[in-house]
Amino acid sequence: MAAVTEAPPPLAPTAPDDEPPRRRGRLTPYWLLLPGILWLLVFFALPVLYQASTSVQTGSLEQGYTVTWHVATYWDALAQYWPQFLRSVLYAACATVLCLLLGYPLAYLIALRAGRWRTLLMVLVVAPFFTSFLIRTLAWKTILADGGPLVGALGTLHVLDVTDWLGWTSGHRLLATPLAVVCGLTYNFLPFMILPLYTSLERIDPGLLEAAGDLYARPVTTFRRVTFPLSLPGVVSGTLLTFIPAAGDYVNADLLGSTDTRMIGNVIQTQFLRILDYPTAAALSFLLMAAILLVVTVYIRRSGTEDLV
């Protein structure tokens, strides 16, 4: 007779989980993003909304301000302060170009030629960040001071004659001139250009450069056809990180410039803290933000770098 096997006892039913594991896995990234989203809402979105409300208000500090949707404030602010807008864009663009011309060779040297000196050079690049932005700018007042060695050397070489003719300086002086403001912007934001460039150049496979040499490409051709195209993401990132804060800066123009070199950041500071015209200051802030967003969007689209678009 065949042995009769008993069926195994049924398993005890288990309590279902409150949430399927697959669904919990889908929600995990959102929980991780929650602190950053809350930070942006509290410290970016809400202040922007408050500034937007302020820009369409009318009234005075004594009587109070009320939202009347007075959008003409934007047009009045732009009509009155358009020279400062153009000056800010011009100074920021000049400083960005100078940072690129100075920063690219240094980043190239650190990434591809420094060898065991790479760490030391990188420390020297970031060392200015350990000093206050204000102190660094004040130091340039000593460097560019009238009667200083730099002014004397440039005067002896007749460089100041050329810069006076171009309108960059006046009266054989460096302080309180457009050149002084651009020099201050270039110095303060140069590390923001070097670091992205170094990152892009350091990622380049040395084998590609060796292959270009094996194909009898000259060093200039290798740089033009291989190195520079591969470093374009760093160029775009560095120019954005330099241009955006430089356009809104007011410290360099205040300490190194004069009333003829005021940038839009100086106007916004004056409207907020001295004149106490909050609607005009808020409108100028929004116009500056819109102008920067427009320039950045067009620039990124034109650059065609896949890392940023």
Side-chain angles (χ1 to χ4, degrees):
M1 295 180 62
V4 178
T5 58
E6 297 181 358
L11 297 176
T14 57
D17 293 339
D18 295 335
E19 194 173 3
R22 185 176 298 177
R23 185 179 178 184
R24 288 201 302 268
R26 289 199 302 264
L27 294 178
T28 299
Y30 297 99
W31 286 110
L32 294 176
L33 289 173
L34 184 60
I37 294 174
L38 291 176
W39 179 276
L40 290 175
L41 287 176
V42 174
F43 296 103
F44 179 75
L46 292 180
V48 167
L49 292 176
Y50 178 77
Q51 289 287 56
S53 172
T54 303
S55 65
V56 292
Q57 293 179 1
T58 54
S60 63
L61 192 63
E62 294 79 11
Q63 301 174 356
Y65 292 95
T66 56
V67 177
T68 58
W69 303 103
H70 190 261
V71 294
T73 304
Y74 285 88
W75 174 253
D76 295 339
L78 184 61
Q80 184 174 0
Y81 297 110
W82 66 267
Q84 286 79 2
F85 266 105
L86 293 180
R87 191 178 298 129
S88 299
V89 174
L90 178 61
Y91 288 177
C94 292
T96 301
V97 172
L98 288 176
C99 285
L100 181 60
L101 295 177
L102 295 173
Y104 198 102
L106 181 56
Y108 182 90
L109 172 66
I110 297 174
L112 303 177
R113 295 290 186 268
R116 60 193 181 97
W117 300 100
R118 177 182 298 181
T119 303
L120 176 61
L121 292 175
M122 286 301 298
V123 170
L124 294 177
V125 168
V126 301
F129 287 126
F130 294 96
T131 307
S132 170
F133 185 91
L134 182 62
I135 294 177
R136 283 183 277 141
T137 307
L138 286 172
W140 272 86
K141 294 192 69 172
T142 304
I143 297 173
L144 304 176
D146 299 338
L150 181 60
V151 174
L154 294 178
T156 303
L157 297 174
H158 301 285
V159 175
L160 293 180
D161 295 333
V162 178
T163 56
D164 284 353
W165 179 74
L166 293 174
W168 296 348
T169 59
S170 60
H172 283 66
R173 300 185 67 222
L174 288 177
L175 274 180
T177 63
L179 182 60
V181 177
V182 173
C183 287
L185 292 173
T186 303
Y187 167 75
N188 282 305
F189 295 109
L190 182 60
F192 293 97
M193 178 68 74
I194 295 176
L195 295 178
L197 288 173
Y198 166 78
T199 302
S200 290
L201 290 169
E202 196 268 338
R203 291 178 180 175
I204 297 177
D205 185 1
L208 298 175
L209 306 181
E210 295 176 1
D214 294 339
L215 294 174
Y216 304 102
R218 292 178 297 177
V220 176
T221 305
T222 301
F223 175 80
R224 182 172 58 87
R225 301 295 295 271
V226 180
T227 305
F228 185 74
L230 292 177
S231 66
L232 276 179
V235 173
V236 176
S237 300
T239 51
L240 292 179
L241 290 176
T242 303
F243 177 81
I244 293 174
D249 182 77
Y250 65 91
V251 175
N252 289 275
D254 192 23
L255 298 180
L256 303 178
S258 64
T259 55
D260 295 330
T261 60
R262 284 168 57 85
M263 300 171 64
I264 194 61
N266 302 101
V267 177
I268 295 174
Q269 180 205 27
T270 302
Q271 294 290 331
F272 262 122
L273 302 180
R274 298 181 184 177
I275 302 178
L276 305 180
D277 186 357
Y278 300 132
T280 301
L284 289 171
S285 301
F286 264 91
L287 289 172
L288 176 62
M289 182 173 63
I292 291 177
L293 287 176
L294 178 62
V295 171
V296 168
T297 302
V298 173
Y299 176 67
I300 291 178
R301 294 296 183 184
R302 292 285 184 176
S303 63
T305 53
E306 297 179 356
D307 288 8
L308 294 176
V309 179

